[in-house]
Amino acid sequence: MSFHYHKRITLIPKVLHLNISSHGWSWSFGGRRAHITRDSHGRRSAAVRLPGGFTWRRDSRRRR
């Protein structure tokens, strides 16, 4: 059995959130329809919700 921790802190309501978990941290910028996320491991993603229940998502990694 393993335990996980997750906490979401709102920095600017409906716009900017800081997410803290047992695996690291991330921040999300944007609303419900579209947002950009960056985590402590250098991963970035962007997501947009489309009509009809579809979602477009793009993941990328920081280049060194």
Side-chain angles (χ1 to χ4, degrees), residues 44-62:
R44 292 176 289 187
S45 67
V48 177
R49 288 187 183 180
L50 303 171
F54 296 100
T55 301
W56 174 83
R57 183 174 172 155
R58 181 175 180 172
D59 297 325
S60 63
R61 234 187 125 88
R62 179 177 55 191

Side-chain angles (χ1 to χ4, degrees), residues 25-51:
W25 60 268
S26 68
W27 59 263
S28 297
F29 178 79
R32 291 179 62 126
R33 292 282 181 187
H35 66 271
I36 298 170
T37 303
R38 179 100 186 228
D39 70 7
S40 60
H41 303 290
R43 292 183 293 249
R44 292 176 289 187
S45 67
V48 177
R49 288 187 183 180
L50 303 171

Side-chain angles (χ1 to χ4, degrees), residues 14-34:
K14 298 184 181 181
V15 178
L16 184 62
H17 304 280
L18 176 65
N19 304 300
I20 302 170
S21 73
S22 57
H23 299 286
W25 60 268
S26 68
W27 59 263
S28 297
F29 178 79
R32 291 179 62 126
R33 292 282 181 187

